[in-house]
Amino acid sequence: REIDRMPLSRALAILPSGMLCPIVLGCTATGGTLLVDQGAIPNTLVAGAPGSGKSTLLKVMIENLLVSNAGVVIIDPKIVDFAEFKKRSMCRVESDMDNVPHLLDLVISRMNNIYMTLAKRGHLSVAQNNSSGDTKISPEIIIIDEWADVFLSNKECLKKVLLISQKGRAAGISVILATQRPSSSILPGQIKANFTGRIAMRVSSEMESRMIINSSHAAHISEPGMGYYQDQSMDSPVYFR
């Protein structure tokens, strides 16, 4: 069936309060709402060829996260794609690739400080802390657009991103990596193992589709804005718009 388009205003209006970082990705082919908790996944790979709607999807995800009072750090190698978020509170946009390693170090430092706070309060995670009545800790999502550009500009970024993706969940810190051309050269096995959330928009080949969702489906998407979502809780990817 034709999948309905969901206005952003409707998506933001139905965000539940029981999730750490709820995101409404859109409507499914069965007419349902595709709702995920980025804080529970906690790391996501997003792939999409130019014109597939990848940047628009990332902006929708950011708007969802800001409504939930999550901090968002955006690494934008193309400089202009996410410039509109520079003046938004709880948002930081970095376009200078020379500054990215230091920015990731700041995230790692915050992560370690959160763990120290949790230990003092006797909590195992930010989610447990926030539901206990103690002073809430804001979750934080690191969104890296054009991961290939970041990765190739400084290979040290891979180690820092892996550290955050491996240790960040309980501290309420998640990573979303986006790329136009998924390949094993920029998405090594360590990345794939720690990024169990997968979104495939239209990609250039069946091989690229399989890199993300272990299926060739994304190579046959005909329209921009359509995609497949899968995480560790699902046996097969879900089609959405």
Side-chain angles (χ1 to χ4, degrees), residues 18-111:
M19 294 182 176
L20 189 63
C21 298
I23 297 175
V24 175
L25 292 175
C27 295
T28 68
T30 58
T33 300
L34 182 54
L35 171 67
V36 302
D37 184 356
Q38 185 62 47
I41 298 171
N43 307 301
T44 300
L45 288 176
V46 181
S52 65
K54 174 172 61 66
S55 294
T56 300
L57 176 66
L58 291 175
K59 291 177 182 180
V60 168
M61 296 173 79
I62 293 168
E63 293 288 358
N64 276 252
L65 293 167
L66 292 177
V67 167
S68 300
N69 295 315
V72 181
V73 176
I74 305 166
I75 298 173
D76 178 20
K78 292 191 287 190
I79 301 174
V80 297
D81 278 10
F82 299 91
E84 65 197 81
F85 292 101
K86 287 184 177 180
K87 296 182 179 179
R88 301 283 293 274
S89 61
M90 300 289 288
C91 222
R92 174 172 178 175
V93 181
E94 181 58 69
S95 299
D96 188 339
M97 293 301 97
D98 291 337
N99 294 336
V100 171
H102 176 63
L103 178 59
L104 294 175
D105 284 335
L106 291 177
V107 173
I108 292 170
S109 178
R110 180 175 186 267
M111 178 178 69

Side-chain angles (χ1 to χ4, degrees), residues 1-6 26-32 223 225-227 238-241:
R1 66 185 287 276
E2 180 69 16
I3 302 179
D4 297 330
R5 291 184 182 274
M6 179 182 291
C27 295
T28 68
T30 58
E223 295 181 52
M226 314 290 279
V238 175
Y239 197 40
F240 74 94
R241 181 179 195 169

Side-chain angles (χ1 to χ4, degrees), residues 10-216:
R10 178 185 161 201
L12 299 182
I14 62 177
L15 290 176
S17 59
M19 294 182 176
L20 189 63
C21 298
I23 297 175
V24 175
L25 292 175
C27 295
T28 68
T30 58
T33 300
L34 182 54
L35 171 67
V36 302
D37 184 356
Q38 185 62 47
I41 298 171
N43 307 301
T44 300
L45 288 176
V46 181
S52 65
K54 174 172 61 66
S55 294
T56 300
L57 176 66
L58 291 175
K59 291 177 182 180
V60 168
M61 296 173 79
I62 293 168
E63 293 288 358
N64 276 252
L65 293 167
L66 292 177
V67 167
S68 300
N69 295 315
V72 181
V73 176
I74 305 166
I75 298 173
D76 178 20
K78 292 191 287 190
I79 301 174
V80 297
D81 278 10
F82 299 91
E84 65 197 81
F85 292 101
K86 287 184 177 180
K87 296 182 179 179
R88 301 283 293 274
S89 61
M90 300 289 288
C91 222
R92 174 172 178 175
V93 181
E94 181 58 69
S95 299
D96 188 339
M97 293 301 97
D98 291 337
N99 294 336
V100 171
H102 176 63
L103 178 59
L104 294 175
D105 284 335
L106 291 177
V107 173
I108 292 170
S109 178
R110 180 175 186 267
M111 178 178 69
N112 291 332
N113 289 336
I114 289 173
Y115 277 123
M116 292 176 63
T117 300
L118 292 174
K120 290 178 181 177
R121 296 179 180 176
H123 299 309
L124 298 177
S125 68
V126 164
Q128 186 182 92
N129 176 87
N130 290 359
S131 62
S132 70
D134 282 331
T135 302
K136 290 190 175 183
I137 300 172
S138 296
E140 187 169 74
I141 313 298
I142 319 304
I143 296 179
I144 306 178
D145 193 23
E146 304 307 336
W147 165 244
D149 292 350
V150 177
F151 174 68
L152 295 174
S153 68
N154 191 325
K155 297 295 178 63
E156 286 297 309
C157 290
L158 175 61
K159 294 181 181 179
K160 298 177 191 295
V161 168
L162 279 173
L163 178 61
I164 296 168
S165 67
Q166 289 167 350
K167 294 182 61 179
R169 178 175 183 172
I173 297 176
S174 303
V175 183
I176 298 173
L177 290 186
T179 182
Q180 289 186 6
R181 297 293 301 271
S183 67
S184 57
S185 61
I186 63 165
L187 297 176
Q190 295 164 296
I191 286 284
K192 292 190 68 177
N194 286 291
F195 285 72
T196 53
R198 307 290 178 85
I199 299 176
M201 314 293 281
R202 186 182 68 239
V203 292
S204 301
S205 69
E206 293 186 355
M207 181 182 67
E208 290 180 352
S209 178
R210 291 190 183 96
M211 277 289 297
I212 302 298
I213 56 172
N214 295 320
S215 163
S216 63

